[in-house]
Amino acid sequence: VFVVTGGGSGIGKALARALAARGESVLIVGRREALLQEVARTSDLIQYVCADVSSASGREVLHAYLRGVPAIRGVVHNAGIIEPIMPLMDITESQWRQIMATNLDAPLFLNQLLKNQLVGGRVLHIGSGASHHPVQGWSAYCVSKAALSMLTRCCQLECDGIAFASVMPGIIDTNMQAQIRNAHHMAADKQDFFIRLKQHNQLLSQETVAIFLCWLLLDTDTDTYVSQEWDIYEKTHHPLWLRSPHQVPIWE
Ligand SMILES: NC(=O)c1ccc[n+]([C@@H]2O[C@H](COP(=O)([O-])OP(=O)(O)OC[C@H]3O[C@@H](n4cnc5c(N)ncnc54)[C@H](OP(=O)(O)O)[C@@H]3O)[C@@H](O)[C@H]2O)c1
């Protein structure tokens, strides 16, 4: 089974459906049961568990659900939040902690809970270009994703038998982009950039990202899988997975 956190919407939903289309069993996780149910209804291979991965008790719900499963083929840590988008000097401690708990702590502590079942399997951390490029108003998000990138490297160093990788999935047409377009505390030029990408149809589709992630999870050998922080905009790997009608927009 593949576990996909945040599988009720966006990239996670598209990935769950793409994995199932390739014959893989998938367990999706999220907080909103109605969304998870809708995704699970699309395939007999998709199951769901309702859990908040930012809390130890939520992670325990997932752990308990998987107790009878001897081996997990992969875990995709995709659940993530960017809000509140606000000035670094105004963010409250609890707002900061919620972003860290979701984007950084959940992957670490779920990996701990599932480590025995993951031997021989793969872990994929969904990162972001924001881990390398600071954006005004996104401080907690940028810091959490930068830390997640380093967490991947530390896991690679310490955890024998499990293949870890992280990926920058690009700028994708999901609800998170709508939150960015509607945010009140971003530099106007930066926000205009994201608004224009949407207007000019230059956002990646969720389905294209899902095909890329499926290729990483199912079709690469282990040495290749762990070899780099993957970037969907990097063209050298496109011939290996990118087929029409899927496309990766170029906006530079
Ligand atoms: N869209 C982009 O342009 C972009 C770019 C770079 C990276 N990413 C990354 O891609 C990942 C997916 O985001 P998306 O763009 O697909 O946006 P999205 O549709 O908002 O997906 C985020 C998912 O995470 C789940 N989630 C959030 N907090 C959770 C929690 N505490 N416990 C369990 N599930 C939780 C949400 O479901 P519930 O609210 O129901 O729990 C939702 O399904 C994120 O890690 C994001 O940082 C996105």
Side-chain angles (χ1 to χ4, degrees):
V1 66
F2 280 89
V3 177
V4 178
T5 68
S9 68
I11 303 175
K13 172 181 176 175
L15 176 60
R17 297 187 61 170
L19 284 168
R22 295 218 23 202
E24 302 293 339
S25 298
V26 188
L27 177 64
I28 54 173
V29 190
R31 293 166 301 179
R32 286 169 292 175
E33 188 165 17
L35 296 186
L36 299 168
Q37 248 168 5
E38 208 176 295
V39 180
R41 243 185 251 126
T42 64
S43 168
D44 290 343
L45 290 173
I46 304 179
Q47 292 186 313
Y48 77 86
V49 60
C50 207
D52 178 348
V53 296
S54 72
S55 73
S57 58
R59 292 188 289 270
E60 197 43 59
V61 169
L62 175 59
H63 186 213
Y65 190 92
L66 287 164
R67 195 148 284 145
V69 177
I72 298 170
R73 287 199 62 198
V75 177
V76 181
H77 295 286
N78 164 77
I81 54 172
I82 193 168
E83 288 196 320
I85 292 173
M86 63 187 296
L88 178 57
M89 287 299 138
D90 296 336
I91 194 164
T92 67
E93 194 166 333
S94 71
Q95 289 168 329
W96 178 271
R97 290 208 185 291
Q98 187 55 31
I99 292 185
M100 296 300 157
T102 309
N103 298 358
L104 179 64
D105 301 357
L108 169 60
F109 294 114
L110 270 177
N111 290 339
Q112 281 188 359
L113 285 175
L114 303 177
K115 66 177 191 295
N116 294 333
Q117 290 150 292
L118 268 169
V119 172
R122 294 186 171 190
V123 172
L124 187 59
H125 293 152
I126 304 295
S128 168
S131 62
H132 301 287
H133 304 284
V135 180
Q136 198 180 322
W138 297 12
S139 56
Y141 183 76
C142 293
V143 170
S144 70
K145 293 292 188 179
L148 184 63
S149 167
M150 181 54 80
L151 179 73
T152 309
R153 294 171 62 190
C154 293
C155 289
Q156 288 172 340
L157 202 62
E158 290 195 20
C159 308
D160 287 342
I162 306 172
F164 288 87
S166 67
V167 58
M168 296 180 282
I171 308 176
I172 312 127
D173 198 4
T174 68
N175 186 50
M176 189 174 281
Q177 281 298 318
Q179 291 172 341
I180 290 165
R181 289 192 298 275
N182 293 323
H184 298 295
H185 295 287
M186 281 181 64
D189 57 340
K190 194 73 187 174
Q191 195 166 30
D192 283 349
F193 167 76
F194 290 103
I195 291 169
R196 268 186 279 112
L197 288 186
K198 173 71 174 170
Q199 283 170 346
H200 297 143
N201 234 352
Q202 286 170 313
L203 293 172
L204 277 152
S205 81
Q206 298 164 21
E207 290 74 23
T208 300
V209 175
I211 296 290
F212 175 47
L213 301 183
C214 273
W215 171 74
L216 277 177
L217 290 165
L218 302 177
D219 302 326
T220 57
D221 59 43
T222 307
D223 286 347
T224 305
Y225 180 71
V226 303
S227 64
Q228 58 190 286
E229 181 170 17
W230 294 92
D231 176 358
I232 198 168
Y233 294 118
E234 157 69 45
K235 291 197 191 89
T236 51
H237 53 71
H238 289 180
L240 302 173
W241 62 270
L242 186 57
R243 306 272 180 277
S244 175
H246 295 287
Q247 51 179 313
V248 175
I250 297 162
W251 35 260
E252 276 180 327

